[in-house]
Amino acid sequence: NATKTECRACLAKADMELTGHVNEDLLIAYFCGDLGEERSKKIERHIANCQRCKREFEINKMLFSGLIGMIKGAGGKPDAHALRQALRENLKENRIYYSIIQPPAFVPILLATSYHGLVNVILGDLSHFEFEEKLKNHFPKLWITESFDETEKIRWQFEAYFKRERSDFDCAIDDRLISSDFRKKVLFALQDIPYGHFVTYGELARRIGKPKASRAVGGALGANPLPIVLPCHRVVAGEGKLGGFTGGISLKIKLLDLEGANFSATARQMDLFNPFN
């Protein structure tokens, strides 16, 4: 039947993966009791010596324990098929997919998506390992998986942006890394700044109804988990100064140049001719 076929598929996958890292199918088979004692012990030995797999094992163990309780509480029987289905559904909510792009003449960029949308954009001249560690620090209890397929849509949009083929982004946003309502208000207001334009911190503060909150606005921009999509590079300091940027000043200048924004030496001119008016 379908269940036995699925179990055989998991076991076949297990034989392939035991020489490398454990994967989702293998862990599901382990927790559902499909592997048998010998294969289960191999998994346990591998996990004991592999920090990456140990972390993913602990995440699944926690989910598995909770799901058994949920199934029993609903009057169901926690058999292998029911657990597998429930675990797969639950993993969707507890997984982060990512991939890294390298735009010409720019630093590498990590793009991370969740079940709910784009959740993190990390800029920097970092190694693959350093990127992944930063992502794990943001999501210590979630399963982190590299996937070109799951990030394909946002990858394509970023690549088109850096080729000057598109000026905005069309994607759902998961705002869980934005820590307060004030920061959400500031960061989502950035979407109203047109491509190729920029405003001052003071103007942005006035636009969100907090004219005396320029410093707090700057703090919110500095904590932006979705740069470029929420374009904090389009906000500059007064008196003709650029202000800060999470990817560094040189990258901020390159992004403004990419968009054709002519940075003025006089901040007052920006306020007089700001694109919100």
Side-chain angles (χ1 to χ4, degrees):
N1 58 33
T3 302
K4 290 183 178 179
T5 300
E6 188 175 6
C7 290
R8 285 196 296 271
C10 286
L11 294 174
K13 194 96 172 191
D15 289 333
M16 294 171 60
E17 294 293 334
L18 283 174
T19 55
H21 294 294
V22 296
N23 64 0
E24 178 183 326
D25 284 338
L26 187 55
L27 289 177
I28 290 174
Y30 173 89
F31 286 116
C32 290
D34 293 339
L35 293 182
E37 184 177 358
E38 182 179 350
R39 286 193 175 97
S40 294
K41 286 182 177 179
K42 287 182 180 179
I43 296 297
E44 291 160 5
R45 286 196 296 270
H46 177 89
I47 289 167
N49 295 288
C50 178
Q51 286 301 312
R52 168 183 162 181
C53 291
K54 182 178 181 180
R55 177 180 178 277
E56 294 174 351
F57 178 86
E58 292 300 325
I59 291 171
N60 276 267
K61 183 179 179 181
M62 176 185 65
L63 294 175
F64 183 81
S65 299
L67 288 170
I68 288 179
M70 288 173 57
I71 293 172
K72 286 183 176 180
K77 181 182 178 182
D79 57 35
H81 179 69
L83 286 171
R84 183 177 288 106
Q85 291 298 111
L87 189 56
R88 285 192 186 281
E89 289 299 314
N90 199 273
L91 280 171
K92 292 179 182 178
E93 294 283 347
N94 290 276
R95 182 188 290 279
I96 300 294
Y97 296 103
Y98 78 91
S99 61
I100 299 169
I101 64 171
Q102 176 60 78
F106 282 85
V107 297
I109 302 173
L110 179 143
L111 307 172
T113 64
S114 72
Y115 185 65
H116 301 286
L118 184 68
V119 71
N120 206 188
V121 175
I122 303 175
L123 313 170
D125 189 13
L126 305 173
S127 68
H128 192 285
F129 173 79
E130 289 171 324
F131 268 124
E132 191 170 271
E133 287 303 301
K134 278 183 171 288
L135 196 59
K136 287 179 179 178
N137 287 338
H138 289 160
F139 304 102
K141 297 182 179 181
L142 302 185
W143 183 308
I144 308 296
T145 304
E146 185 172 18
S147 173
F148 290 92
D149 291 338
E150 295 293 336
T151 58
E152 181 180 12
K153 181 178 178 181
I154 193 61
R155 284 176 62 89
W156 175 83
Q157 292 186 44
F158 263 78
E159 289 164 359
Y161 169 82
F162 281 102
K163 292 177 183 177
R164 295 189 173 95
E165 294 174 355
R166 69 179 300 137
S167 59
D168 58 6
F169 295 86
D170 177 22
C171 62
I173 288 178
D174 181 340
D175 62 7
R176 75 179 76 180
L177 291 181
I178 305 176
S179 60
S180 70
D181 289 339
F182 174 78
R183 287 187 173 182
K184 288 179 184 178
K185 191 171 185 178
V186 171
L187 295 177
F188 282 100
L190 297 171
Q191 294 178 312
D192 294 328
I193 307 175
Y195 179 92
H197 294 271
F198 47 86
V199 298
T200 63
Y201 295 106
E203 174 60 24
L204 184 58
R206 288 191 288 274
R207 283 287 155 177
I208 64 167
K210 302 287 185 179
K212 297 181 180 180
S214 295
R215 188 178 296 274
V217 164
L221 299 182
N224 182 7
L226 296 167
I228 301 180
V229 174
L230 300 180
C232 53
H233 62 279
R234 296 177 191 162
V235 185
V236 299
E239 300 179 354
K241 297 179 180 179
L242 275 167
F245 183 61
T246 183
I249 296 299
S250 61
L251 181 56
K252 185 171 187 175
I253 293 172
K254 290 177 75 171
L255 288 170
L256 289 171
D257 287 344
L258 176 75
E259 297 182 3
N262 296 313
F263 181 68
S264 171
T266 306
R268 290 180 180 176
Q269 288 181 346
M270 293 185 293
D271 284 346
L272 285 171
F273 301 104
N274 81 78
F276 286 120
N277 290 334

